[in-house]
Short mmCIF file of all heavy atoms in Angstrom, two decimals:
data_model
loop_
_atom_site.label_atom_id
_atom_site.label_comp_id
_atom_site.label_asym_id
_atom_site.label_seq_id
_atom_site.Cartn_x
_atom_site.Cartn_y
_atom_site.Cartn_z
N LEU A 482 68.90 96.28 99.58
CA LEU A 482 68.98 97.24 100.71
C LEU A 482 69.50 98.59 100.16
O LEU A 482 69.06 99.63 100.74
CB LEU A 482 70.01 96.67 101.80
CG LEU A 482 69.49 95.45 102.54
CD1 LEU A 482 70.55 94.78 103.32
CD2 LEU A 482 68.38 95.90 103.46
N ILE A 483 70.32 98.60 99.24
CA ILE A 483 70.88 99.84 98.63
C ILE A 483 69.65 100.66 98.01
O ILE A 483 69.53 101.88 98.31
CB ILE A 483 71.96 99.62 97.53
CG1 ILE A 483 73.21 99.18 98.08
CG2 ILE A 483 72.02 100.89 96.67
CD1 ILE A 483 73.89 100.17 99.00
N GLY A 484 68.74 100.00 97.37
CA GLY A 484 67.56 100.57 96.84
C GLY A 484 66.66 101.14 97.88
O GLY A 484 65.89 102.08 97.64
N LEU A 485 66.65 100.48 99.02
CA LEU A 485 65.80 100.99 100.14
C LEU A 485 66.40 102.16 101.01
O LEU A 485 65.75 102.98 101.50
CB LEU A 485 65.55 99.86 101.12
CG LEU A 485 64.75 98.73 100.55
CD1 LEU A 485 64.61 97.54 101.57
CD2 LEU A 485 63.20 99.21 100.26
N LEU A 486 67.78 102.16 101.02
CA LEU A 486 68.42 103.13 101.87
C LEU A 486 68.87 104.48 101.17
O LEU A 486 69.11 105.47 101.81
CB LEU A 486 69.71 102.53 102.46
CG LEU A 486 69.35 101.29 103.51
CD1 LEU A 486 70.70 100.67 103.87
CD2 LEU A 486 68.64 101.77 104.69
N VAL A 487 69.02 104.40 99.87
CA VAL A 487 69.64 105.58 99.07
C VAL A 487 68.60 105.90 97.94
O VAL A 487 68.28 105.10 97.12
CB VAL A 487 70.99 105.20 98.51
CG1 VAL A 487 71.52 106.47 97.76
CG2 VAL A 487 71.97 104.79 99.59
N PRO A 488 68.09 107.17 97.96
CA PRO A 488 67.34 107.57 96.73
C PRO A 488 68.16 107.70 95.53
O PRO A 488 69.20 108.12 95.55
CB PRO A 488 66.60 108.86 97.21
CG PRO A 488 67.67 109.38 98.18
CD PRO A 488 68.29 108.26 98.92
N TYR A 489 67.56 107.38 94.34
CA TYR A 489 68.33 107.46 93.10
C TYR A 489 68.61 108.91 92.73
O TYR A 489 69.42 109.15 91.79
CB TYR A 489 67.65 106.73 91.96
CG TYR A 489 66.32 107.33 91.48
CD1 TYR A 489 66.42 108.43 90.65
CD2 TYR A 489 65.20 106.71 91.65
CE1 TYR A 489 65.24 109.05 90.03
CE2 TYR A 489 63.92 107.28 91.12
CZ TYR A 489 64.02 108.36 90.36
OH TYR A 489 62.88 108.91 89.83
N THR A 490 67.99 109.91 93.43
CA THR A 490 68.23 111.27 93.11
C THR A 490 69.50 111.85 93.89
O THR A 490 69.77 113.03 93.71
CB THR A 490 67.06 112.11 93.36
OG1 THR A 490 66.69 111.82 94.76
CG2 THR A 490 65.88 111.84 92.47
N ASP A 491 70.07 111.07 94.65
CA ASP A 491 71.26 111.54 95.48
C ASP A 491 72.40 112.00 94.53
O ASP A 491 72.83 111.14 93.66
CB ASP A 491 71.75 110.44 96.38
CG ASP A 491 72.72 110.87 97.51
OD1 ASP A 491 73.74 111.43 97.06
OD2 ASP A 491 72.47 110.78 98.72
N ASP A 492 72.84 113.25 94.70
CA ASP A 492 73.81 113.80 93.72
C ASP A 492 75.17 113.05 93.91
O ASP A 492 76.06 113.30 92.93
CB ASP A 492 74.01 115.24 94.11
CG ASP A 492 72.74 116.08 93.74
OD1 ASP A 492 71.92 115.61 92.92
OD2 ASP A 492 72.62 117.18 94.42
N ARG A 493 75.53 112.38 94.86
CA ARG A 493 76.81 111.71 95.07
C ARG A 493 76.99 110.46 94.19
O ARG A 493 78.11 109.99 94.00
CB ARG A 493 77.01 111.38 96.55
CG ARG A 493 77.25 112.61 97.48
CD ARG A 493 77.11 112.35 98.91
NE ARG A 493 75.71 112.01 99.28
CZ ARG A 493 75.38 111.60 100.47
NH1 ARG A 493 76.29 111.61 101.49
NH2 ARG A 493 74.12 111.30 100.82
#
Side-chain angles (χ1 to χ4, degrees):
L482 289 168
I483 287 299
L485 292 172
L486 295 172
V487 181
Y489 71 73
T490 52
D491 194 299
D492 294 335
R493 292 166 290 181

